[in-house]
Amino acid sequence: MVLFLFLVIALVVVVGAVTLAVVGGGESAVLPDAAPERFTDPLPPDRPLRRADVDAVRFPTTLRGYHMDEVDDVLGRLGAELAERDARIAELEATLAGVQATAVAGPALFEGYERRGATGAHPADSKGMQDVEDGESGQ
């Protein structure tokens, strides 16, 4: 019976202390109201997105997950940036392919060269041979 009375008194003291700490602590002890979480868009509007920008995105949680409209806005922005980047890559690849095709098969590639003769010798080789023959005959 004494143990029971001791437990009841201890319980009353603990409940009273917690009540005084929470309610009776004065103005300084009252916890401020928590501001509701709002999504602040960390994605820069003035430049293309980088990996660090995407890593920095944090969505506030609600009772049942995330705000769908906030997530949809970010995913829409990321989708638009990726589509723009893909279009730019395709444009640059097409330009590069055109430049390479012009450089390899362009009309200026063979300027200054004559067709090889039927023997397959290069015209410059035959001219050089004529010079050698002319020089030998002139001795």
Side-chain angles (χ1 to χ4, degrees):
M1 180 74 164
V2 175
L3 184 60
F4 179 73
L5 274 173
F6 176 74
L7 287 177
V8 169
I9 292 172
L11 181 63
V12 169
V13 169
V14 169
V15 169
V18 169
T19 304
L20 283 175
V22 172
V23 176
E27 288 296 320
S28 63
V30 175
L31 295 176
D33 290 333
E37 289 187 64
R38 297 283 182 230
F39 178 67
T40 55
D41 189 7
L43 301 177
D46 57 341
R47 64 173 171 78
L49 296 177
R50 298 183 187 137
R51 170 71 190 238
D53 298 329
V54 177
D55 289 341
V57 172
R58 295 290 177 260
F59 296 105
T61 57
T62 62
L63 185 61
R64 294 181 49 185
Y66 298 104
H67 290 283
M68 290 176 63
D69 56 338
E70 294 172 350
V71 175
D72 289 343
D73 290 344
V74 170
L75 290 177
R77 168 87 189 273
L78 288 173
E81 292 259 348
L82 288 175
E84 185 178 317
R85 198 170 284 173
D86 288 345
R88 180 70 176 143
I89 289 171
E91 176 186 337
L92 291 174
E93 286 177 344
T95 303
L96 179 63
V99 168
Q100 287 175 340
T102 303
V104 170
L109 182 64
F110 296 109
E111 283 183 10
Y113 290 99
E114 299 174 11
R115 279 185 87 81
R116 291 184 179 188
T119 60
H122 194 276
D125 294 340
S126 62
K127 184 178 180 187
M129 290 300 289
Q130 288 175 353
D131 291 341
V132 171
E133 291 172 3
D134 291 341
E136 288 176 3
S137 61
Q139 287 182 1

